[in-house]
Amino acid sequence: MRIALFGDIHANLEALEAVLQDAENQGVTHYVCMGDIVGYNADPAACLEIVRALDCPIVKGNHDEDASGSHSLDSMNPVAAAALEWTRERLTEEQRQWLGRLRMVRQVSDFTVVHSTLDQPAHWNYVTNRFDAMSNFSYQFTQICFHGHTHVPRVYVKSDRVREVPAESVEIETDSKYFINIGSVGQPRDGDWRACYVIYDTDHKIVVFRRIEYDIAKTRQKIMDAGLPEMLAERILEGR
Ligand code: ZN
């Protein structure tokens, strides 16, 4: 079975469509979404409906939660807050309720998925190094856990100790555990603008990172036309 794991789409329709097309070309038959379907970019409703139509396991991201609620966004950074206010207005009540009902953690096949970390999924902690990853491993009861949230692809491996290996092609070895950040479809932050997702081949026990080009000029134009903060159009070009 070939499973595509994708997340942090952030309302980037062109990136989402390119990723799903690539997955289909790669022989993917199953999909799992790591959350943050909305926020930042200009197509929240279209992205939500495409992901919903896949009828696949999905976990909730912090932007999904913020877009679904009506609480104040004052404590957030101003750019993210402005985009979320805009997003709330573009979603129907029913779409917002659907986002609000998404679960925080799911077990799919023989692996677990979460948007941030397993130790405190509702706290939205960022895992940026192997020390952060250690606290997650204490709560990880499957061999592999996939997550997102930082928008930076990363692979942490726990055997006798926890180490980080390059986020490229990873062979899953029986005596190790893996905590894998699948990167971001719609707003990568590792200096590479191309959409990122992974394919997990369960028969060959291999996880492969994919980088996909898409029509970024169109996405940037939509951000400007929507009156969203200009900085959002800049950052996707720079991948930060
Ligand atoms: Zn995100």
Side-chain angles (χ1 to χ4, degrees):
M1 185 162 54
R2 286 167 71 74
I3 308 172
L5 297 112
F6 67 104
D8 291 290
I9 299 147
H10 287 295
N12 185 334
L13 179 61
E14 290 71 32
L16 176 61
E17 285 177 337
V19 159
L20 295 179
Q21 184 60 59
D22 182 73
E24 197 185 318
N25 297 347
Q26 291 292 316
V28 162
T29 51
H30 293 73
Y31 296 84
V32 180
C33 178
M34 233 60 50
D36 271 6
I37 300 166
V38 302
Y40 293 127
N41 298 304
D43 281 305
C47 289
L48 185 153
E49 291 307 334
I50 287 174
V51 173
R52 172 149 67 171
L54 288 172
D55 197 21
C56 66
I58 308 169
V59 287
K60 187 194 281 182
N62 50 315
H63 286 250
D64 303 324
E65 177 154 291
D66 286 332
S68 71
S70 49
H71 53 277
S72 157
L73 302 169
D74 290 349
S75 60
M76 257 189 155
N77 90 60
V79 171
L84 272 165
E85 287 291 0
W86 183 92
T87 299
R88 281 176 174 177
E89 288 164 19
R90 262 92 196 153
L91 297 173
T92 65
E93 188 53 38
E94 189 275 332
Q95 288 170 326
R96 290 173 60 185
Q97 283 175 10
W98 180 82
L99 286 174
R101 282 197 306 272
L102 294 174
R103 283 153 58 180
M104 301 296 286
V105 179
R106 296 194 61 156
Q107 189 175 335
V108 183
S109 174
D110 58 349
F111 58 86
T112 312
V113 291
V114 63
H115 184 67
S116 58
T117 65
L118 290 174
D119 44 323
Q120 288 180 310
H123 285 209
W124 312 116
N125 294 326
Y126 291 93
V127 177
T128 56
N129 56 53
R130 66 192 184 92
F131 300 103
D132 299 336
M134 281 177 194
S135 20
N136 178 83
F137 277 118
S138 318
Y139 292 81
Q140 184 178 323
F141 305 113
T142 53
Q143 191 189 13
I144 312 174
C145 175
F146 295 98
H147 72 126
H149 194 40
T150 64
H151 301 200
V152 178
R154 288 245 195 275
V155 180
Y156 300 100
V157 187
K158 182 174 190 281
S159 44
D160 51 332
R161 62 193 176 90
V162 175
R163 64 188 203 282
E164 189 183 336
V165 300
E168 291 160 3
S169 175
V170 186
E171 287 185 36
I172 303 300
E173 289 165 16
T174 17
D175 50 357
S176 298
K177 273 185 165 182
Y178 297 81
F179 185 41
I180 299 177
N181 191 313
I182 60 161
S184 167
V185 170
Q187 194 195 74
R189 295 179 189 161
D190 61 338
D192 183 342
W193 66 270
R194 297 172 301 165
C196 185
Y197 80 104
V198 308
I199 297 176
Y200 174 32
D201 184 326
T202 58
D203 300 327
H204 299 96
K205 291 277 172 196
I206 295 177
V207 174
V208 177
F209 284 82
R210 307 271 310 156
R211 296 308 289 247
I212 311 300
E213 296 189 0
Y214 67 94
D215 188 352
I216 193 170
K218 191 169 173 186
T219 308
R220 298 182 72 219
Q221 191 57 51
K222 284 182 179 176
I223 292 171
M224 309 300 278
D225 292 348
L228 283 160
E230 226 178 290
M231 179 258 195
L232 293 172
E234 290 310 309
R235 72 184 300 177
I236 56 169
L237 193 61
E238 292 164 22
R240 64 172 171 86

